[in-house]
Amino acid sequence: MTNFNDYLNEQMKNPEFKEEYDALEPEFAIIQAIIDARKSSGITQKELSQKSGIAQGDISKLENGNANPSLKTLQRLASAMGKRLKIEFV
């Protein structure tokens, strides 16, 4: 294995691993959406903290997948970035 993607592709051949990995997809999507929204807003975690009133350390935990945001937290983050929160069932 030369890199992580090769390793992941190999592991995805295992049905049990794939099932567990796929189950985490919604969590990964939320994390990436927070990071992408913050970066597209052109602000740092510290600036987002100041605008939202959420501690910078808590924002870091959210972006690193070490915390689960509530709906209220997601709304505060979106508002601080001048965005609107949209949640969908597909």
Side-chain angles (χ1 to χ4, degrees):
M1 303 292 156
T2 58
N3 63 38
F4 177 75
N5 287 333
D6 290 340
Y7 176 77
L8 179 60
N9 288 334
E10 186 65 30
Q11 294 302 308
M12 293 295 271
K13 294 176 185 176
N14 177 331
E16 290 177 17
F17 179 91
K18 183 173 180 353
E19 182 178 343
E20 290 293 323
Y21 185 88
D22 289 346
L24 293 172
E25 193 277 330
E27 186 175 334
F28 292 147
I30 290 171
I31 292 166
Q32 194 61 54
I34 293 169
I35 294 168
D36 291 346
R38 180 178 59 77
K39 288 184 177 181
S40 74
S41 296
I43 59 175
T44 65
Q45 287 182 353
K46 183 176 182 179
E47 291 167 326
L48 181 56
S49 172
Q50 293 167 342
K51 291 180 177 200
S52 67
I54 298 170
Q56 187 271 326
D58 291 338
I59 293 170
S60 177
K61 287 178 186 176
L62 290 171
E63 290 188 2
N64 287 309
N66 296 322
N68 293 316
S70 67
L71 182 56
K72 185 175 182 175
T73 297
L74 292 173
Q75 290 172 320
R76 287 173 63 189
L77 291 170
S79 178
M81 293 184 277
K83 300 194 180 292
R84 185 176 59 89
L85 179 64
K86 178 181 177 183
I87 298 174
E88 294 182 274
F89 290 92
V90 292

